[in-house]
Amino acid sequence: MSDINDTGAIPVGIPQQDAAASLPATELPEILVITGMSGAGRSRAAATLEDLDWYVVDNIPPRFLRALAGLMTPDGGVKRLAAVVDVRSREFSELSVTLDQLREGGLGYRLLFLDCDDDELVRRHESVRRPHPLQGDGRLLDGIHEERRQLKNLKGRADTIIDTSKLSVHDLSRRIRHLVANESPTDLQVTVMSFGFKYGLPLDADNVADVRFLPNPYWVSELRHLTGHDSAVSDFVLAQKGASEFVASYSNLMAAILDGYTRELKPFVTIAIGCTGGKHRSVAIAEAVSEELRKRGRTVRTLHRDQGRE
């Protein structure tokens, strides 16, 4: 029998064993603090992170960062939090102190600083016809120089600095995605939708294919009451001249287009395939095209907008 400690309740050695035991690894939450020059792309960075399912708060006073961190837990709630903090906040000078407090409290964070040349900042501010937040009664350059002075120390302690002077908005999005690549999904969301032309084109379609060149199973009495989900209809449609060739060639075409959409950071795409009523041909072909795209490594959702509408 194990020895008992002074309380008579806990065997001697158990606390030491607990301390020595390795605990299961947990995914620690982290804050990404975004700051930098006005006009350098903070809003674009925030929008990119939102598309990657981050919880993003823009123009937050520094003292609220600690309260915001309370939303984050290792096993639920918010795990990826981005906060945009900049000179628009009257309390901006408190950011360095707040970051020190976060670190002392054991909460990890990364500081992302977005920079840009003065010439390019002037061009961007003039293009949107908005004054600099620190400009006051002075010139635009006066505001830029004052902001750069206030941000000097923060830039020095930044974990990542991105100079956006020569970056397009898409280039910056790519850089942000690369920065958080191990934490956020980047797959293009693909939807293949069947529809009936007599009910109108889908408003959100990026690409539309017309399969009314195939014989209509509606005119086959044994198939009329069925849909493209039924094997009898699907076999009939795919057995028609040109059907299998269309599925293969259209899938190859869309595979190349989807690769391009991925490179251009398009988050989702809808491929619409239509026949007269959206019940037979379009359903069968949409299912076949979806399967071909899945074979090419795409995650595809298949919808049938007008099936059962007649």
Side-chain angles (χ1 to χ4, degrees), residues 193 195 197 201-202 204-211 246 250 254 270-274:
M193 175 191 298
F195 73 97
F197 277 97
L201 288 171
D204 57 347
D206 296 287
N207 292 270
V208 177
D210 182 355
V211 295
F246 171 80
Y250 188 66
M254 288 310 308
T270 298
I271 302 168
I273 299 176

Side-chain angles (χ1 to χ4, degrees), residues 7 20 24 29 36 55 83 95 100 105 142 144 149 160 163 173 178 208 220-221 227 234 243 275 290 301 310:
T7 66
Y55 187 86
L95 179 56
D100 291 337
D142 293 334
I144 292 173
R149 184 192 66 80
T160 303
D163 187 339
S173 292
H178 179 74
V208 177
V220 179
S221 58
T227 73
S234 179
C275 63
S290 296
R301 179 180 65 160
E310 73 285 343

Side-chain angles (χ1 to χ4, degrees), residues 107-272:
L107 181 66
Y109 71 85
R110 281 182 293 172
L111 182 60
L112 169 62
F113 189 96
L114 299 178
D115 202 357
C116 188
D117 292 341
D118 288 357
D119 292 348
E120 179 63 19
L121 288 176
V122 170
R123 188 191 68 79
R124 293 178 185 179
H125 279 287
E126 289 182 342
S127 67
V128 296
R129 299 183 179 181
R130 297 192 65 188
H132 190 280
L134 298 181
Q135 182 175 345
D137 296 331
R139 299 180 305 153
L140 177 57
L141 273 174
D142 293 334
I144 292 173
H145 292 161
E146 175 59 20
E147 183 178 34
R148 202 174 290 283
R149 184 192 66 80
Q150 292 188 22
L151 293 174
K152 182 178 180 180
N153 291 334
L154 279 172
K155 183 178 180 180
R157 67 185 293 176
D159 298 288
T160 303
I161 299 174
I162 299 178
D163 187 339
T164 68
S165 303
K166 300 185 183 301
L167 299 182
S168 69
V169 291
H170 300 300
D171 292 333
L172 176 56
S173 292
R174 292 187 185 94
R175 294 287 297 274
I176 298 298
R177 285 172 178 261
H178 179 74
L179 180 66
V180 299
N182 294 329
E183 305 154 22
S184 302
T186 57
D187 288 343
L188 177 68
Q189 300 178 37
V190 181
T191 299
V192 178
M193 175 191 298
S194 69
F195 73 97
F197 277 97
K198 70 178 182 179
Y199 301 114
L201 288 171
L203 294 177
D204 57 347
D206 296 287
N207 292 270
V208 177
D210 182 355
V211 295
R212 290 177 294 183
F213 67 91
L214 298 171
N216 192 347
Y218 178 86
W219 302 112
V220 179
S221 58
E222 294 85 0
L223 303 178
R224 180 175 299 178
H225 67 288
L226 302 176
T227 73
H229 277 302
D230 295 298
S231 59
V233 173
S234 179
D235 292 345
F236 175 88
V237 171
L238 294 174
Q240 300 305 312
K241 184 177 180 180
S244 296
E245 292 81 358
F246 171 80
V247 170
S249 59
Y250 188 66
S251 299
N252 286 332
L253 173 64
M254 288 310 308
I257 292 175
L258 295 179
D259 288 343
Y261 283 153
T262 300
R263 290 191 297 271
E264 290 302 309
L265 306 181
K266 184 176 175 63
F268 49 82
V269 60
T270 298
I271 302 168

Side-chain angles (χ1 to χ4, degrees), residues 47-64:
T48 299
L49 291 169
E50 283 187 337
D51 291 343
L52 296 175
D53 201 28
W54 281 60
Y55 187 86
V56 180
V57 181
D58 191 10
N59 193 18
I60 181 174
R63 62 188 175 93
F64 289 160

